[in-house]
Amino acid sequence: MEELEFMESQVMNADFWQLLIRFVFNAVVTGAIVGFLYYPKCRRRDYSFTFMLISISIFMMIFLLGSVKVKIGFALGLFAIFGIIRYRTEQMPVREMTYLFVIIALSVINALSVTFSWAELVATNMLFFFSVMVTEWSRWLRHVSTKTIKYDRIELITPERRAELMEDLTKRTGLSILKVEVGDLDLLKDMAILRISYEPENHDVNTTDGAIIK
């Protein structure tokens, strides 16, 4: 009886240390992605806070579930839920949503890969990290920000006067505008809602807004 209790105690200790080590490992990797790749360019503490807490929550829930089938089903369900949220709202920009999927994927992998070797687990996490780093810091991928503005010179929104519109917006905003999308029109007030896409001079600042253009 004492031997059985001793074995159960050893198993519990092993599970505890495995949970602790994997938790720290997952927190370090996701923290590196958020802290060194996402935050320096976006400066959004609210999203950084969200990413870290979601990573911790996903990891703990999946790791502590008993059945592997339940874990996998729960993981797939999470991706489906966040996919539905993405298509039903524009409050979170695509870039932040992509980081959210990466953080969830890493947390799920780190929680489920109990049978993997540490070499495989570390290699997988490093591949995630370096893939995000290469795409984030790539000079071939131009960083474009957007702003939604109210525009009063409604006579310039016609297609044949698009060059004048771009010139006027560039002069009035001081931005290097790449594209203009015309949204909602208010003919009574002679006002239009425009979404401008531009390349910011300071690439370390994310000025993408989440406004809905109607």
Side-chain angles (χ1 to χ4, degrees):
M1 187 66 178
E2 293 181 357
E3 182 178 355
L4 180 60
E5 291 179 355
F6 175 77
M7 292 177 62
E8 290 178 352
S9 176
Q10 291 295 104
V11 171
M12 291 179 63
N13 288 334
D15 291 340
F16 171 76
W17 285 110
Q18 182 173 206
L19 168 63
L20 187 60
I21 293 172
R22 287 180 178 272
F23 174 81
V24 172
F25 177 75
N26 180 71
V28 168
V29 175
T30 54
I33 291 177
V34 174
F36 293 105
L37 301 180
Y38 172 77
Y39 185 75
K41 282 198 171 184
C42 299
R43 303 291 180 183
R44 294 294 302 268
R45 297 187 64 180
D46 51 349
Y47 282 126
S48 301
F49 171 81
T50 301
F51 293 154
M52 290 306 301
L53 286 189
I54 285 180
S55 174
I56 292 172
S57 302
I58 297 298
F59 176 85
M60 295 299 290
M61 284 190 293
I62 292 182
F63 189 90
L64 295 176
L65 288 174
S67 171
V68 175
K69 291 182 179 180
V70 173
K71 292 179 181 179
I72 296 175
F74 183 71
L76 294 176
L78 285 172
F79 280 102
I81 290 172
F82 282 106
I84 293 172
I85 292 175
R86 171 67 191 95
Y87 287 109
R88 290 187 62 86
T89 179
E90 294 186 22
Q91 295 304 313
M92 178 177 285
V94 176
R95 189 170 183 274
E96 277 69 17
M97 200 67 192
T98 303
Y99 268 97
L100 181 60
F101 275 108
V102 171
I103 294 301
I104 293 175
L106 272 176
S107 302
V108 170
I109 290 172
N110 292 332
L112 285 177
S113 57
V114 180
T115 58
F116 292 176
S117 66
W118 274 101
E120 293 175 311
L121 187 60
V122 171
T124 301
N125 281 261
M126 290 302 99
L127 285 173
F128 265 97
F129 180 83
F130 286 115
S131 298
V132 176
M133 183 179 69
V134 168
T135 54
E136 186 69 80
W137 292 353
S138 176
R139 295 182 179 179
W140 292 276
L141 297 176
R142 182 169 55 178
H143 178 65
V144 177
S145 297
T146 63
K147 282 185 181 295
T148 302
I149 61 175
K150 296 179 180 179
Y151 189 64
D152 55 349
R153 298 189 61 185
I154 198 171
E155 70 276 4
L156 297 182
I157 67 172
T158 56
E160 58 271 12
R161 304 189 68 179
R162 184 55 56 94
E164 295 180 58
L165 174 64
M166 297 278 287
E167 183 181 354
D168 184 57
L169 288 171
T170 301
K171 182 179 179 180
R172 296 172 70 175
T173 62
L175 301 173
S176 179
I177 298 175
L178 305 172
K179 185 177 68 172
V180 178
E181 298 176 59
V182 179
D184 196 17
L185 299 176
D186 190 337
L187 298 179
L188 294 177
K189 297 181 180 180
D190 287 337
M191 185 185 69
I193 303 296
L194 305 180
R195 175 176 290 171
I196 59 173
S197 301
Y198 63 97
E199 186 174 4
E201 294 181 3
N202 183 4
H203 294 274
D204 292 335
V205 179
N206 180 16
T207 52
T208 302
D209 60 32
I212 297 175
I213 186 167
K214 296 182 181 180

